[in-house]
Amino acid sequence: MTDLASRTPLSPDGRLGRADRHPGLSDPVYRRRRAAVAVLAEGREVGDRACRVRYTEREHETWRSVYRALVVAHRGRVCAAVEQAREVAPIPADHVPQHAEVGDRLRSLTGFDFAVAGGFVPNKRFLGSMALGYFHAVQFVRHPALPLYTPEPDIIHDVFGHGIHLASPWFADLYRLFGAAARRVDTEDALDLISRVYWFSLEYGVLARRRRVEAYGAALLSSYGELTGLHRAEVRPWDLGEVLRQPFEVAGYQPTLFATRSLDHLAEQLHAFLDDFDEETGPRLGLPPKSQRGAIPRLPAGAGGPVAGPAVRATGEADGSTGTVHRW
């Protein structure tokens, strides 16, 4: 998925958001470090306490650098509800937080906690766990060479994006709404419908207010490059049929976003779709089957192995799997 540009607005090949040129894809030192952090999640069930990670000073500096940039990028670009949630969210300015540090605070605010992820998490588990008050999050920190861009979700995305949401009772209720819908279904087709709506709302959602675009989606909140470049995206009015047919980038900037008029309008749209969601919702609403929904691009060549995992969030196509996955 998308996250942040670079120390300059450009990635190494001179373009915004190109995942295939990111140094983390080929740096063996970084890959070993990420794998060492990811292995701490092995055998952990939803609700288990995450192992403590001994972050390096370099990782803390990466966190501080991105924190400073995002605080600036949020000004005038995110909606008021996000600003209010960020004020109480457990986002330290000076260090990479432990999962427990974030989760303990979130539980006191909304009853949510982080569930540690270190490998592929099936879509059913990822979405369904939200109904129980758990959000799967990783613990590793992005590559330090380009601290304002990463082609995969890391702890900065999870804390500065979803951590802000989950500090707000209003947003937390929407996560539970998605989770409850996912727990009622089992087929890949039904889970894909939920996943795509989640992608263009809680990950990449925006509001259109008086010819002004304001971000609320978690992926945008943690993306310096996309926040400062919102004017480059094509913003369309929210339409469920279009949302479900729209291809999207799993490891690059989103060229198309969907806007609702307000957060109340968003809640109305999501409740109308998810409150009674079941296996027959798609056919009942005349929605296209999965084979006719917008194709999702594969990750770039060379992005195989652990790197590919986190970015494949709505389909298993990129790694050849048949099940839908959201998070690693």
Side-chain angles (χ1 to χ4, degrees):
M1 71 171 282
T2 310
D3 248 305
L4 312 182
S6 69
R7 284 195 183 274
T8 67
L10 303 179
S11 53
D13 68 342
R15 293 180 57 190
L16 286 170
R18 277 291 299 273
D20 54 344
R21 304 291 181 156
H22 195 279
L25 297 179
S26 57
D27 183 351
V29 175
Y30 172 72
R31 291 168 69 94
R32 285 195 297 271
R33 171 59 175 167
R34 188 188 53 209
V37 173
V39 77
L40 297 176
E42 285 189 0
R44 298 278 164 170
E45 300 294 333
V46 175
D48 287 350
R49 204 77 163 163
C51 292
R52 184 176 181 84
V53 178
R54 293 185 178 181
Y55 292 108
T56 67
E57 178 54 33
R58 195 176 191 187
E59 288 168 331
H60 288 305
E61 177 52 37
T62 297
W63 176 278
R64 290 190 287 266
S65 176
V66 179
Y67 179 96
R68 290 190 296 267
L70 286 176
V71 168
V72 173
H74 276 214
R75 294 172 187 163
R77 298 184 177 96
V78 303
C79 70
V82 164
E83 292 178 336
Q84 293 166 8
R86 193 186 65 222
E87 292 300 313
V88 298
I91 310 176
D94 61 344
H95 67 278
V96 185
Q98 299 292 328
H99 265 208
E101 180 182 350
V102 178
D104 287 348
R105 178 60 177 155
L106 292 180
R107 276 200 305 277
S108 70
L109 292 169
T110 63
F112 254 90
D113 199 350
F114 277 167
V116 65
F120 284 113
V121 177
N123 204 13
K124 172 88 172 179
R125 171 171 166 168
F126 177 83
L127 292 168
S129 295
M130 296 177 192
L132 306 177
Y134 289 99
F135 183 85
H136 282 83
V138 297
Q139 293 178 286
F140 71 86
V141 181
R142 65 192 56 180
H143 196 284
L146 294 173
L148 296 185
Y149 174 70
T150 176
E152 57 191 355
D154 71 336
I155 191 170
I156 298 176
H157 161 71
D158 284 331
V159 173
F160 220 104
H162 296 288
I164 289 177
H165 278 180
L166 298 175
S168 160
W170 190 92
F171 278 108
D173 283 348
L174 291 186
Y175 279 74
R176 291 188 176 91
L177 177 66
F178 276 98
R183 288 173 67 83
R184 291 195 296 270
V185 297
D186 294 298
T187 64
E188 183 179 348
D189 189 274
L191 288 167
D192 182 72
L193 286 172
I194 299 171
S195 180
R196 286 171 183 254
V197 174
Y198 168 86
W199 180 272
F200 281 111
S201 57
L202 294 186
E203 286 288 0
Y204 281 98
V206 295
L207 306 179
R209 298 163 59 86
R210 302 184 184 91
R211 299 184 180 179
R212 176 187 178 90
V213 176
E214 297 176 348
Y216 70 83
L220 297 175
L221 303 185
S222 60
S223 177
Y224 174 88
E226 285 186 291
L227 276 178
T228 57
L230 274 179
H231 61 282
R232 288 190 289 266
E234 177 188 5
V235 180
R236 302 178 187 173
W238 181 271
D239 179 275
L240 184 63
E242 285 198 37
V243 166
L244 293 172
R245 291 179 174 87
Q246 177 63 37
F248 55 85
E249 296 289 337
V250 295
Y253 286 13
Q254 298 302 314
T256 302
L257 302 174
F258 291 91
T260 55
R261 298 188 299 273
S262 66
L263 289 182
D264 286 340
H265 181 228
L266 169 70
E268 290 173 3
Q269 296 296 310
L270 295 182
H271 276 285
F273 181 60
L274 296 171
D275 276 347
D276 300 313
F277 190 92
D278 59 24
E279 297 286 4
E280 299 304 315
T281 294
R284 187 166 59 245
L285 296 180
L287 299 175
K290 189 169 183 291
S291 61
Q292 296 177 21
R293 296 170 202 155
I296 301 166
R298 292 176 180 271
L299 289 178
V307 177
V312 187
R313 292 156 51 92
T315 178
E317 293 171 356
D319 71 331
S321 66
T322 56
T324 304
V325 294
H326 249 284
R327 173 76 67 182
W328 78 293

